[in-house]
Amino acid sequence: MQFLNNIINYLAQNTARWIYPLVSFALSAGLIPIIILSCRKHGWYDKVDERKIHKGNIPRLGGVGFVTAFSAVTLVYVLVTKDYSNTRLAFVISGLIIFIFGVMDDFLTLKAYLKLIVQIAASLIAIAAGFRFRTILSWELPMWLSFALTFFWMIGIINAYNLIDGVDALCGSLSAMVILTLGLIYTKDGSTHQATVCMILAAAILGFLLYNKPRAKIFMGDGGSQFLGFMIAVLPLEKTTAHFESTKFFLMAVLVSLPAIDCIAAIWRRLREHRGIMTPDKRHLHHKLMGMGLSPVHVLLFLAALQLLLCAGGYISMRMRTRPGLTLLLTLMIAVIIFFIIIHFCSRALKKTDPCVKVEDTEQ
C-alpha cells in the first residue's frame, strides 16, 4: 500500500514531471511501428545463433525506439530545468557510446575484444564524471577501490543484461522494474532530477514492450540490451543521502541478481569447459527453465514475478533502519543464490534421466 501511495504522492506533487514519462511512453510506442516497417523493408532481422531460441525473421532494432524516446525527452527535461552539469553530459555521452556500438554489433557482429574496449571507454568516462560507489555500510571506500569496484560493476552489468535478453520481453521487463524501483527510491531520497530520469526511461521501455511482448514483433537488439545494462549500472551511482550510499551496493546487488548471477554462472561454466567466455550457448537460466518444461511465456511470467519480489523487498529495505534493511537484502540475496542452485541441479538431474531433453527451437 505504501508503495502505491508513494507513486500517487509523486504524481500529485510533481504534476509537470510526470508529463515527461507520459510523452516518453507515447514517443517510444509511436516510433516502434516505424522501425518495424523499416527493418522489414531493408531485411534487418535478428540473427539466430546458439544462444537464441527464436526462429523466423524478427526485426531487431527496437532499442532505437526507446533510446531515441528516452534521449529526446530527457534532453527537453534538461533544457527546461537547466540541469547542465558535467555529470549529466558524461552520462549522455557514455550511454550513446554503448548504444551506437551496440547497434553496430547488431549489423556487423563485432569482435568480443572490440566490444569490451568500447564498454571500458564508456565506463571510464562515467567514473571520471563521478559515477561510483563511495561507501559500503559506514566504510568510505579508498579511491582506488571505489574506482575498481565501480569499473567491474559497470562492465559486468552491461553484459549481464545483454545475456539475459533471450525470451520475449524478459530483458525489458526486468530492466523496467529495476529502473522504476530506483525512481521511487530517488523520490523518497529527495533526488528529483534522478527520479524523473528513471521514470522517463522506464516509460520508454514500456512503450517498447507493447511490441516486444510474446509473440514479439520486434527485439531490442544488442544496442538496446547493452544500453539498458549500462543505464542500470550507472543510474544509482550519483551521490545521494548517507543512508542510500551506505546500502547502495547491497541494494543494487539484489535488484540485478537474476541477470548478474546468470552471467557469473555462464563465465564460470565456459572457463571450466575451456571455452571463450563470450561463446554463446543455451544453458542460461531461461534455457534451463524451458528445458524443465516451461514455455517462453511462463519463463517470462515466472522471472518477472521473482524480479517484482526483489524490487519490492529492495524498496522496503530502504524504508527500514540500516541494520534490519541490510538483513532483508542479504536474506533476499541468499534466497536468489539458493534458487539458482536448485535450478542447476534440477536441470542436471533432468538431463541424466532423459539425455534427449533440450530446449526446443520456438518463437522467442
Side-chain angles (χ1 to χ4, degrees), residues 29 32 41 56 73 87 103 188 198 223 227 233 239 283 319 326 333 341 353:
I32 297 298
K41 180 179 179 180
V73 176
T87 300
V103 172
K188 175 184 175 295
C198 288
F227 178 82
K239 191 171 184 179
R283 294 158 67 187
R319 299 191 60 84
L326 180 61
M333 180 56 73
I341 292 172
T353 56

Side-chain angles (χ1 to χ4, degrees), residues 26-202:
L27 184 57
S28 177
L31 285 172
I32 297 298
I34 299 172
I35 294 170
I36 291 173
L37 290 175
S38 181
C39 287
R40 288 175 177 169
K41 180 179 179 180
H42 297 285
W44 295 334
Y45 298 118
D46 190 62
K47 294 179 180 178
V48 178
D49 61 29
E50 294 179 28
R51 187 168 59 91
K52 307 293 180 62
I53 64 169
H54 75 278
K55 61 182 179 180
N57 294 326
I58 309 294
R60 61 183 174 183
L61 296 178
V64 174
F66 66 75
V67 173
T68 300
F70 166 70
S71 301
V73 176
T74 301
L75 176 61
V76 173
Y77 173 72
V78 167
L79 292 174
V80 171
T81 59
K82 299 179 180 179
D83 183 20
Y84 307 130
S85 66
N86 290 333
T87 300
R88 202 68 66 220
L89 179 62
F91 174 76
V92 171
I93 291 174
S94 53
L96 286 177
I97 288 173
I98 289 292
F99 175 66
I100 291 170
F101 278 88
V103 172
M104 288 176 62
D105 186 36
D106 284 321
F107 284 100
L108 304 175
T109 312
L110 301 177
K111 297 289 186 182
Y113 74 86
L114 182 56
K115 290 191 285 186
L116 182 59
I117 290 172
V118 171
Q119 293 170 6
I120 289 172
S123 299
L124 291 177
I125 291 171
I127 292 170
F131 292 94
R132 60 186 178 87
F133 290 108
R134 291 172 173 81
T135 61
I136 293 181
L137 300 180
S138 58
W139 179 41
E140 185 172 350
L141 297 174
M143 194 64 71
W144 68 268
L145 182 56
S146 173
F147 283 4
L149 178 62
T150 305
F151 174 77
F152 287 109
W153 159 262
M154 289 183 181
I155 298 297
I157 299 305
I158 292 170
N159 288 288
Y161 278 86
N162 183 228
L163 291 176
I164 204 68
D165 185 28
V167 172
D168 289 347
L170 182 58
C171 182
S173 298
L174 300 187
S175 300
M177 284 189 274
V178 171
I179 293 165
L180 180 59
T181 302
L182 279 174
L184 294 174
I185 291 172
Y186 272 132
T187 300
K188 175 184 175 295
D189 198 51
S191 304
T192 306
H193 290 310
Q194 292 93 325
T196 304
V197 170
C198 288
M199 298 299 183
I200 291 171
L201 180 53

